[in-house]
Amino acid sequence: MSELDETIKEFLVESLENLEQLDRELLALESDPTKIETINTIFRIVHTVKGTCGFFDFRKLEKVSHVGENLLDSLRSQKIAVTEVIITTLLRLSDTLRELLANIEESGCEGDGDYSELVGLLTSLNEQKITLTSEAISINSKSEGSVDESSVVLLKTQVSEEGQDDELQRMFYAAQSEWQNASSLEAPGAAAVPESSQIGAAENQAPSTVADGSESPKVSESKKSELSESSLRVDVNLLDKLMNLVGELVLARNQILQFTKSQNDGEFASTSQRLNLITSELQEGVMRTRMQPISTVWNKLPRIVRDIAHSCGKKVVLEMQGKETELDKTIIEAIKDPLTHVIRNSVDHGIESPEKRLAAGKGAEGVLVMRAFHEGGQVVIEISDDGAGLNTERIRAKALEKGLITSDKAASMGEAEVNRLIFLPGFSTAEQITNISGRGVGMDVVRSNIERIGGAVDVASNPGKGAKFTIKIPLTLAIIPALIVTTNNNRYAIPQVNLLELVRIEGAQLKQSIERIQGSDFYRLRGKILPLVYLDEQLGLSAANSTKSGGGILNLVVVRADNHQFGLVVDAIHDTEEIVVKPLGRLLKGISAFAGATIMGDGQVALILDIVGMARKAQIAKKEAAAKHEESRSNDEGKTSERKKMFVFELGTNKRAAVPLDQVYRLEEFPVQALESAGDHIVVQYRDGILPLVDLRGIYGEPPEISEGSLRAFVHLSGDRFVGFVVERILDIVEQCVNVERPYPKQGLVGSAVIQDKVTDLLDLSAILQLAELSPKHSFDAREAR
Amino acid sequence: MEAAANQITQQPVLAKHYVTFRAGELFFGIDVLQVQEIIRHQSMTPVPLAPAAVKGLINLRGQIIAALDLRSILGAESGISDERTMNVVVRADDETISLLVDSIGDVIQVDERDFENVPETIAPHIRCILHGVFKLKNELMLVLNSGACMERE
């Protein structure tokens, strides 16, 4: 069961559901044999089963349903009349189908049951029409007679097996009499004898023939289908209501948990802990009921792709991966349009015409690949085509022409940045406006739709090879994790999806690291300029540009919105919490800074910040551009003292040393027990290989004897091999201007500099390596390690 | 004759109940069917950047509703401290809001025939949030249009 794939499961559920209906319809047919609609319904059901199982290569299932379908077809076209025998046989067909489905459900295959007798029975019943409904005898070929004969033989065995079954006896004799008809070609009149009398006559003889039939257990009926009983259809409104209630429960739980903290009652604490667990599980469960596979949207795409490709004279194959990826219903609905638009765009603009493709050495058929998968609590959808890719130069020119960017900016923008311009409102590069895309309301709508549900969209292009759109969306909208911050004594929630990292700047660092460019503040985060946005200022709670260094601490929440990053300055940062998003009323809808509100553990309301709205409000893009401009200008003026990131460590008492951070691959700690030796060298096993260790403390004399504890080391990538450098203590990563001086020359040192107000030696790792290789104690040829 | 007939057909709607309250110096009434409940002062979360009359958000049994200060809409100063204000929770245009008022009066039954359009003498910024007035024995009861209160903000 476990290895059954989703499609088969779906097929089973659907078929079992249909079979329930089949039984009902058959019974209805029995009570009113003339009702043609009923026959039609039955035919459709069997036909569906047959058609679907054809995809899965279930031969027996297909065979049985196929002959059943034939019989039903005859019934439908009124070639034969509905009789009790037929109904019974059809009910048996239904049982058999159920048995087969049960086998599939259980073991994934059809089982080794033999259904040829039923097949024979169905076939012979169907062929009755020829003998019983036509005036003249139509059976005159010997071969047909022999088919019937065999079926009767089969029937015989069956009857002797299930001898108690009166219906079957009757069927058997009906079939037998028919066979007699067929075989007695020399007496044509006999065939025209009405069916009922034949059966009646046969029935009379029955007891003697099958009296010895013993009651064999009927396996087929005992096998109850589990699938159809284990799933049922539920009204979406009910699920929505459940979801709301769970939301309330989560809030109540939060409140209880908050209250528990102030209590000292052990039993109460454990009860609320249990409540906490149950609530979380319930929340997850209810959430899952609302999950739908992304294929519910995707299934419509092949048709769309085909139509568009057709109308622009292109050939496109659509491949889909990860169809079963699940998403909340509301999100599924929300991504429907954006997805369609991206697909249209890819087919219309991305993939070239067959001629162009052939000229470019590609196959005439374009390939569009859609991939969906879960990643870090989000769902990622990738839409990649193997078309021409984005024409960066044309986008740049177009953006300039439409005045979306300035020429200064256009020149300074990187390729990826330019490509992202297609998401700007009023942008379209299509040379020809088609009815599919190219009206300038395209990708910007995609972006705003995706962002509305807390997602993000990006594009990557490989000229000549294709483009890839990446859409990231949250799993659900109703309950989201969020970071709680305070500003001016009010709490605000920042959705986790916008969150990148938290930075706390203290004391002396504060003055150094905040730069003011054209009236706005920036922080240099690992070399990148980060615009600062003061939350209180944005919310109108304090005057703009007031001094913010009160207390000497700056709490930064680094967030991402659109394609920008900025640091949101808040008074304090608290925990992350699961919050239930509630919409703001009409009165407050217009405030772009808020995405909604939620109720906190103490019952108070907190507002959820709309980071994207805030970025727009604070004109982050403009500030960023200004900063970059400023930076490039200052860079031109001269690179007197470049800021560098240094990795600072200690090599013994008062022996500070540093290397540039980019020479450090990883920081590791090795227990002394892990130390081994290869030849004369100290090594450790590292990432399926052997890592030579060089004790940097050795450059100031003999390294201390290693006896116990662990070694701290940083791993350095030298060429294509790793070397571990052992240090005494890891101190810090510092970013500052480094003025190298050489107070005394020493091998392995670049020089010394004042870092963090202390003299620090700057090591020359490559020289040290050479040095170490000279000395057998430390040197190591990594090639040996291979 | 025709007028008399009119009055007879209007008979069933004549008796309407109004929840009354005071805000500033004015006496208001609101159709009892529009009022969800009346509650004491609730702690509120202020909403920055919101219209001035929006005092904050209230958690009403899991539902988040905005509290509108009626006095601030009227442009009236209130001598009543915040803790003593009352919330009249009303449904207006599919939305629930809370109106902050000074004090709550009785639920009164009025005669529809005493209804009159808003007198021209009432200041325009108040007039636009009223349906009309009822002439009671001692004073005028202003019939509040809660939907219009929201519109104004």
Side-chain angles (χ1 to χ4, degrees), chain A residues 103 120 144 261 336 399 416 564 585 588 629 767 775:
Chain A
N103 284 343
E144 234 173 297
K261 282 180 195 158
K336 206 178 282 177
H564 307 292
L588 306 172
H629 185 73
S775 129

Side-chain angles (χ1 to χ4, degrees), chain A residues 396-405 425-429 438-440:
Chain A
R396 206 193 296 266
K398 203 86 178 179
L400 262 176
E401 181 196 314
K402 300 208 169 180
L404 298 170
I405 48 169
F427 188 91
S428 178
T429 60
R439 288 219 174 80

Side-chain angles (χ1 to χ4, degrees), chain A residues 525-527 643-649 657-667 714-717 730-736 738 755 762-763 765:
Chain A
L525 180 69
R526 289 187 295 276
R643 292 177 75 92
K644 259 190 174 169
K645 265 185 290 187
M646 303 300 289
F647 172 61
V648 189
F649 45 87
V659 292
L661 184 65
D662 51 19
Q663 292 190 11
V664 178
Y665 182 76
R666 272 184 79 89
L667 301 184
F714 65 89
V715 180
H716 169 71
L717 188 62
I730 291 163
L731 289 176
D732 206 354
I733 292 168
V734 179
E735 189 183 350
Q736 67 169 66
V738 179
I755 294 179
L762 301 178
L763 303 186
L765 289 183

